[in-house]
Amino acid sequence: MGKVIAIANQKGGVGKTTTSVSLSAALAEKGKKVLLVDCDPQGNATSGFGINKQELEHSIYNVIIGGWSLGDIIMPTDYKIDIAPSQIDLAGAEVELVEVSGREYRLKSAIDTIKGNYDYIIIDCPPSLSFLTLNSLVAADSVLIPLQCEFYALEGLTQLLNTIDMIKADLNVNLEIEGIVMTMFDSRTNLSEQVEAEVRNHIGDKVYKTTIPRNVRLSEAPSYGCPIFAYDPGSKGATAYMNLAQEVMNNG
């Protein structure tokens, strides 16, 4: 059975979608069969693989709201990875799910039917603690948290960890912290090193050894509709995400 990892942080701008896309692509580069599930209505992970969201006839919205099979919407990409795409229709799911019975389990039910087809299923969550994020965390085996190297990020981390504890207690007893990855690390500043030291001091071995640097090439790759390994495989960003993928694989 594949491992389901939700990439989550309710704070925006922390490198969540970049991590979802780049980690998925890195695992695929290492020979793993990977599915990326885009659960963010912005659909940035979808466009990050060169898919035109405006031309999509079906998306993860049809699965969560319409009860479709994931197999009906999964698309192959040019980068050794499958994707369950998203588009703006998904924004309406927040309202539509309110009256739906068993709304917290909609995504889990869909993923469980295809879990055996993949080594890893990566879920890109929206930057909020919403019904969509709740669905993602209930469906996941573990949560990988991208954490930007700034002090405000530490406040959001406490809130997210409390949310994970509540979901584990009430909805998904098997949910674990996969790990915390420090993103947008700038070795030229004391701030990045101070924040990293603070997080490692409080969280310990759940923080990955790999840090993701601030890297222009990582920022440029989505505008070309491809992951960093197709855009600039020799960049520092690509190297960092390959190292992160190896750590994830080593965790089993």
Side-chain angles (χ1 to χ4, degrees):
M1 297 292 284
K3 186 173 190 178
V4 183
I5 303 175
I7 312 292
N9 192 324
Q10 78 276 14
K11 190 176 185 298
V14 300
K16 179 183 57 60
T17 296
T18 297
T19 296
S20 298
V21 169
S22 301
L23 176 60
S24 298
L27 290 167
E29 288 288 325
K30 289 181 175 290
K32 300 300 180 181
K33 188 163 177 56
V34 182
L35 170 66
L36 175 59
V37 179
D38 189 352
C39 268
D40 188 343
Q42 297 177 81
N44 290 335
T46 298
S47 57
F49 281 97
I51 296 169
N52 188 330
K53 294 173 288 189
Q54 281 68 45
E55 294 180 357
L56 287 173
E57 295 183 6
H58 314 300
S59 70
I60 195 68
Y61 171 85
N62 300 96
V63 174
I64 294 176
I65 298 300
W68 289 31
S69 165
L70 258 180
D72 292 335
I73 67 144
I74 288 174
M75 303 174 63
T77 71
D78 295 330
Y79 308 103
K80 309 175 187 176
I81 185 173
D82 290 346
I83 187 167
S86 175
Q87 56 185 174
I88 196 61
D89 287 358
L90 190 59
E94 291 296 324
V95 176
E96 295 177 67
L97 280 172
V98 171
E99 302 296 330
V100 175
S101 175
R103 59 185 179 270
E104 300 93 347
Y105 299 94
R106 302 285 282 191
L107 184 59
K108 174 179 173 55
S109 297
I111 286 179
D112 283 350
T113 64
I114 53 90
K115 200 172 179 181
N117 298 339
Y118 296 93
D119 298 309
Y120 290 94
I121 298 173
I122 306 295
I123 307 175
D124 184 30
C125 301
S128 62
L129 296 176
S130 60
F131 273 135
L132 292 172
T133 300
L134 181 63
N135 258 264
S136 300
L137 295 178
V138 170
D141 299 311
S142 60
V143 190
L144 192 155
I145 304 170
L147 193 67
Q148 189 176 0
C149 290
E150 62 171 42
F151 280 113
Y152 285 128
L154 299 176
E155 297 178 1
L157 177 62
T158 300
Q159 183 182 2
L160 179 58
L161 293 177
N162 288 338
T163 299
I164 291 169
D165 285 342
M166 287 189 291
I167 290 172
K168 185 170 182 175
D170 297 333
L171 297 168
N172 184 359
V173 67
N174 297 315
L175 185 64
E176 301 290 345
I177 302 293
E178 182 72 22
I180 297 171
V181 58
M182 306 303 298
T183 61
M184 303 180 191
F185 185 88
D186 189 343
S187 59
R188 300 169 298 178
T189 67
N190 290 331
L191 178 61
S192 286
E193 294 183 354
Q194 289 169 0
V195 173
E196 181 190 14
E198 184 83 6
V199 173
R200 291 191 188 280
N201 183 51
H202 282 84
I203 308 297
D205 60 3
K206 284 296 184 182
V207 184
Y208 290 109
K209 294 181 177 67
T210 301
T211 58
I212 309 300
R214 284 193 179 276
N215 183 244
V216 173
R217 309 302 270 174
L218 276 174
S219 302
E220 292 173 345
S223 65
Y224 288 86
C226 64
I228 187 64
F229 307 104
Y231 180 62
D232 189 350
S235 66
K236 290 182 179 179
T239 299
Y241 275 111
M242 286 297 275
N243 292 339
L244 178 63
Q246 190 60 56
E247 284 197 68
V248 169
M249 289 166 59
N250 291 345
N251 286 347

